[in-house]
Amino acid sequence: NSFQTRRSSYLTYRPEEIDLSAAVLAAARRFDYVLEQEGFHLAKETGGDRLLVKADADALTQALLNLLSNAVKYSGKSREIHLSIHAHGDEAEICVLDHGIGIPRSEQRRIFESFYRVPEAARETSGAGLGLALVRHFAEAHGGRVTVSSEPGKGSTFSLWLPLVKKERKHGAQAVNPIPKDNHGEDS
């Protein structure tokens, strides 16, 4: 479509080799104020490896902020969001998981189209329907992809996949900001 053509002509990326975990955690920190104001807790988890990808760091930040913004917008009563970064073979996965309203399977194919919004969600929240289209454009322009796994009433998991340039071994996984355990009086 003509929007797709116009968007491609003005979106230029400047990819460079970046430490994905460091870039994602820095981007997430930019969203801390919004999360705090809305009463959300963001659990962040990085794998035990240093993951290097070739990406435009500013565009990566914008893509991640779009995913986090959607997680806040569509979380319903749940105030927990999970952000994780892991390697799977020759790809890195940035995963944003919420426990919100979810997306019907029949709508999941269309949510990455420009200006498309799930009808039920469009009645309840504002937006132009461009965020996920921009996330997809970023992913594809960097040799990656974006996927969704969702079920109505159970939340959504959006995964941004990027090709790895290099993976360097570190020691163990790191829970940067884990969800606090609520034992409700039970022993751990």
Side-chain angles (χ1 to χ4, degrees):
N1 71 29
S2 62
F3 174 74
Q4 204 76 338
T5 305
R6 281 196 308 270
R7 183 179 63 206
S8 295
S9 67
Y10 75 81
L11 279 182
T12 56
Y13 297 113
R14 292 175 180 79
E16 58 187 338
E17 195 170 288
I18 60 172
D19 178 331
L20 186 62
S21 294
V24 166
L25 293 174
R29 278 192 296 278
R30 292 182 57 184
F31 208 65
D32 280 348
Y33 180 77
V34 171
L35 294 167
E36 184 179 312
Q37 292 302 305
E38 298 289 331
F40 278 83
H41 180 268
L42 178 64
K44 302 171 214 148
E45 180 188 335
T46 62
D49 300 320
R50 183 168 180 251
L51 307 178
L52 301 175
V53 298
K54 191 163 185 166
D56 182 310
D58 292 334
L60 172 65
T61 295
Q62 190 56 56
L64 181 63
L65 293 179
N66 282 332
L67 292 176
L68 289 172
S69 176
N70 280 355
V72 166
K73 203 183 291 189
Y74 300 111
S75 276
K77 293 177 184 167
S78 173
R79 292 294 183 240
E80 294 180 2
I81 299 170
H82 300 260
L83 171 64
S84 62
I85 306 110
H86 294 285
H88 301 279
D90 60 354
E91 292 182 298
E93 177 191 23
I94 304 164
C95 186
V96 176
L97 178 147
D98 67 57
H99 303 283
I101 63 173
I103 305 163
R105 184 172 297 280
S106 60
E107 302 289 338
Q108 290 177 21
R109 227 175 348 116
R110 299 202 56 205
I111 60 174
F112 297 104
E113 295 174 12
S114 299
F115 302 112
Y116 184 77
R117 299 191 64 221
V118 174
E120 296 81 21
R123 286 191 290 273
E124 314 239 343
T125 61
S126 63
L130 287 173
L132 290 176
L134 291 171
V135 171
R136 181 181 70 183
H137 187 275
F138 165 82
E140 291 175 354
H142 289 80
R145 67 193 193 296
V146 62
T147 60
V148 62
S149 172
S150 186
E151 202 175 315
K154 299 196 180 198
S156 301
T157 301
F158 284 87
S159 293
L160 177 57
W161 300 84
L162 295 171
L164 280 171
V165 172
K166 187 172 19 173
K167 178 168 91 173
E168 297 174 352
R169 259 300 160 217
K170 282 188 185 177
H171 304 299
Q174 179 185 11
V176 179
N177 189 14
I179 298 271
K181 299 273 188 253
D182 183 4
N183 294 332
H184 300 289
E186 298 172 16
D187 291 332
S188 319

